[in-house]
Amino acid sequence: MLTVTSPLPGRVIALETVPDPVFAEAMVGPGTAVDPTGGTRGLVIAGAPIDGTLVSLHPHAFVVVSDDGRGVLVHLGIDTVQLNGEGFEPLLRKGDPVRRGEGVVRWDPEAVEVAGRSPVCPVIALEALAGSLTGFANGAGVEAGDQLFVWE
């Protein structure tokens, strides 16, 4: 079992409510999302949801792969690739080992909203079967490091 934790504080929302059909219809994979709005002001550090290696890093998204080969995608906001890195600061490099909770990207959810994008952050279990995820924290308020789901 692999516990996947929240990369940032916010409220957990069901994946199907994410305002992007690619994520909402689980085309990328199953998972959940964190809405950082409501109380989160200024810069936020998005942390690694699992221990592993940072195999992909973009200003707005990153993937951590565990030692047993399971990858978790954290996407910081919706359509934020269109911001061309503005408002996002990677803190590590692709290939770096990471520990759960270690800061990966510093960003500003408010600035994302001001730019007309949603700050909702999908957290996706890549190449997972939907039935292999349990223990969802949907509807709960979370702090960075709190459990989002368990990947069995």
Side-chain angles (χ1 to χ4, degrees):
M1 291 193 323
L2 179 66
T3 298
V4 177
T5 59
S6 184
L8 62 150
R11 185 177 55 84
V12 182
I13 63 171
L15 194 60
E16 58 267 15
T17 66
V18 170
D20 181 317
V22 172
F23 289 113
E25 296 171 18
M27 291 183 217
V28 180
T32 193
V34 179
D35 183 349
T37 58
T40 302
R41 297 286 179 237
L43 294 176
V44 173
I45 294 179
I50 60 172
D51 292 341
T53 302
L54 194 59
V55 298
S56 179
L57 177 62
H58 301 278
H60 66 283
F62 57 91
V63 174
V64 178
V65 173
S66 67
D67 288 343
D68 68 359
R70 291 187 273 186
V72 178
L73 165 69
V74 175
H75 201 282
L76 302 173
I78 303 299
D79 294 328
T80 47
V81 67
Q82 299 166 357
L83 300 177
N84 297 316
E86 285 294 316
F88 299 87
E89 178 190 355
L91 302 174
L92 300 173
R93 293 185 180 160
K94 180 180 173 181
D96 283 350
V98 292
R99 303 290 300 167
R100 179 190 318 274
E102 183 176 354
V104 178
V105 175
R106 181 180 295 120
W107 69 301
D108 187 344
E110 271 188 298
V112 167
E113 280 189 299
V114 168
R117 308 294 188 280
S118 169
V120 166
C121 299
V123 179
I124 307 297
L126 298 173
E127 299 181 22
L129 300 174
S132 66
L133 306 184
T134 62
F136 287 99
N138 290 344
V142 290
E143 295 298 323
D146 288 352
Q147 178 180 308
L148 290 180
F149 57 86
V150 175
W151 187 350
E152 297 184 19

